[in-house]
Amino acid sequence: MKNYTVKRFESHNTAIWNAFVNQAKNATFLFQREFMEYHSDRFKDYSLLVFENEKVVCLLPANIVEATLFSHHGLTYGGFVFSEKCKLGEVINIMKSVLYFLHQNKIDTLQLKLLPSIYTTCFSEEVAYALFLADAKIMRRDCLSVVDLTKSYDISTDRKQGIKRGEKNHLKVKEETQFDSFWNSILIPNLEQKHEAKPVHSLEEISKLHRLFPKNIRQFNVYHNDEIVAGTTVFVSGKVAHSQYISGNSSKNILGSLDFLHHQLLKEVFKDKMYFDFGTSHEDNGRKINAGLLYWKESFGAKTTVQDFYEINTKNYSLLENVLI
């Protein structure tokens, strides 16, 4: 059996961390240290690297709160990160090593939010089996609305009518490198009015991240008579374009601005991607669904895939022993 060494991430590990993310089968640019650390003041980082001798074989982006380790709270998804060469038996033993390390360091619980399958470069469900062996409990399951761009998909009559309204009103879609007008004129006012909330990313944060990842974070605005009326911020990874923020002003239904915008994104801008991820439509920690929002996404032909959240007692490392017989 191979021996693994688990270590906490330190700043001098940045280069090998990023290099591993770039070749991993289940990672995106969100796992790059430059992305993770834009909000380092909010979370106590406790990311882990797993070594076989001197070679990195696994990463775990994470932060700690008291005696619980979390898949990093600042990321949409997370979990164990592996190379394409990593096989099932190795995954089981790596997870055992990580749970043992956490247990020895008096961390009682590990909470994981897994990477949805559309983001992996190949089959990558070994962790799901290892979680079963470790008696992990599923805490939450979110539904993502995703359009499969490799197949034909049906756009509803409602969306087609919205697209036609956009054409009739001579709307223009422009990709921008500045986020100010969308954030200040559309997104922030809408979130305050509808949810008494703020964007997860401040204007300064999203602008900094765009400078760091200009090909991965893209902003598309919709204009009517040269006035911004809607927009979306899209996070772009290997196979997937994901609308991180979607918002329009009060005239969005009259003008058809959001329908017009996303039709162009699906049919033109991201037509060569495999998937367009509209994200979730959940409230109440996944227990409720915003029916109107879900209907709008499914009207573009989106289907459902899931993201699972698990909780594991670290003492259960012993359940991963002697699995391979």
Side-chain angles (χ1 to χ4, degrees):
M1 182 181 297
K2 296 179 179 179
N3 292 318
Y4 298 106
T5 303
V6 182
K7 296 181 181 180
R8 285 188 63 180
F9 172 83
E10 297 179 14
S11 58
H12 66 83
N13 300 131
T14 297
I16 59 173
W17 177 287
N18 287 343
F20 192 84
V21 167
N22 286 336
Q23 58 85 52
K25 65 177 179 178
N26 58 340
T28 73
F29 75 98
L30 272 68
F31 296 164
Q32 294 284 335
R33 294 308 307 188
E34 292 80 1
F35 189 99
M36 293 178 60
E37 290 171 4
Y38 83 86
H39 44 28
S40 58
D41 57 320
R42 297 185 215 167
F43 308 107
K44 183 178 180 180
D45 189 272
Y46 204 100
S47 298
L48 301 178
L49 303 94
V50 183
F51 294 85
E52 179 191 346
N53 297 321
E54 299 298 318
K55 179 183 178 183
V56 178
V57 294
C58 176
L59 305 176
L60 180 60
N63 68 284
I64 192 167
V65 180
E66 297 179 346
T68 300
L69 190 72
F70 295 88
S71 280
H72 205 289
H73 275 134
L75 304 178
T76 308
Y77 38 69
F80 291 86
V81 180
F82 297 105
S83 72
E84 189 170 337
K85 295 181 179 179
C86 198
K87 296 180 172 60
L88 177 59
E90 295 169 302
V91 170
I92 293 169
N93 286 318
I94 287 170
M95 184 180 289
K96 182 190 71 175
S97 299
V98 169
L99 292 178
Y100 179 76
F101 172 86
L102 296 176
H103 184 67
Q104 291 295 105
N105 283 276
K106 303 189 184 307
I107 298 172
D108 301 326
T109 308
L110 172 62
Q111 289 194 12
L112 292 176
K113 51 183 173 184
L114 301 188
L115 182 73
S117 61
I118 57 172
Y119 287 90
T120 65
T121 60
C122 59
F123 293 150
S124 183
E125 297 185 5
E126 297 90 351
V127 165
Y129 180 67
L131 288 169
F132 157 72
L133 294 177
D135 200 22
K137 308 300 182 186
I138 188 163
M139 304 167 52
R140 173 173 171 174
R141 172 168 283 162
D142 282 358
C143 296
L144 283 64
S145 298
V146 179
V147 179
D148 186 340
L149 298 173
T150 68
K151 301 177 182 178
S152 61
Y153 52 91
D154 293 326
I155 299 177
S156 75
T157 300
D158 287 346
R159 299 288 69 75
K160 290 176 181 178
Q161 290 175 346
I163 295 163
K164 288 181 179 178
R165 286 196 297 274
E167 294 170 347
K168 182 179 179 181
N169 287 296
H170 305 291
L171 300 184
K172 302 294 183 183
V173 175
K174 296 181 182 179
E175 182 170 6
E176 306 284 9
T177 58
Q178 302 297 319
F179 295 77
D180 307 54
S181 56
F182 177 61
W183 242 248
N184 293 329
S185 300
I186 304 292
L187 184 62
I188 291 176
N190 275 357
L191 288 176
E192 287 180 348
Q193 180 181 357
K194 295 180 180 179
H195 306 288
E196 296 183 352
K198 296 180 179 180
V200 173
H201 304 90
S202 69
L203 175 59
E204 292 74 18
E205 288 170 342
I206 197 69
S207 299
K208 177 182 178 180
L209 289 172
H210 172 71
R211 290 193 295 272
L212 290 169
F213 302 97
K215 295 181 179 179
N216 301 107
I217 300 176
R218 301 173 64 180
Q219 178 64 38
F220 298 89
N221 293 343
V222 185
Y223 296 91
H224 180 237
N225 296 330
D226 296 324
E227 177 186 353
I228 185 171
V229 294
T232 185
T233 309
V234 183
F235 282 14
V236 185
S237 53
K239 299 191 300 184
V240 184
H242 165 56
S243 277
Q244 180 74 16
Y245 296 106
I246 304 172
S247 196
N249 67 10
S250 58
S251 66
K252 60 182 180 293
N253 293 330
I254 297 172
L255 295 174
S257 56
L258 291 178
D259 293 343
F260 184 77
L261 167 61
H262 284 84
H263 178 67
Q264 287 207 19
L265 296 180
L266 291 167
K267 293 294 185 180
E268 297 178 24
V269 181
F270 297 114
K271 63 181 180 180
D272 294 327
K273 291 292 180 183
M274 293 183 67
Y275 304 108
F276 191 94
D277 177 13
F278 279 102
T280 68
S281 304
H282 286 298
E283 299 177 9
D284 190 23
N285 290 318
R287 292 290 178 180
K288 303 291 183 182
I289 295 176
N290 183 322
L293 184 57
L294 178 65
Y295 171 76
W296 180 77
K297 295 173 181 179
E298 292 181 338
S299 295
F300 278 103
K303 308 297 183 185
T304 298
T305 189
V306 298
Q307 179 183 19
D308 287 339
F309 298 67
Y310 286 92
E311 182 175 86
I312 318 156
N313 292 323
T314 60
K315 65 182 180 182
N316 290 359
Y317 70 87
S318 60
L319 300 178
L320 298 178
E321 295 175 345
N322 304 315
V323 173
L324 301 173
I325 58 176

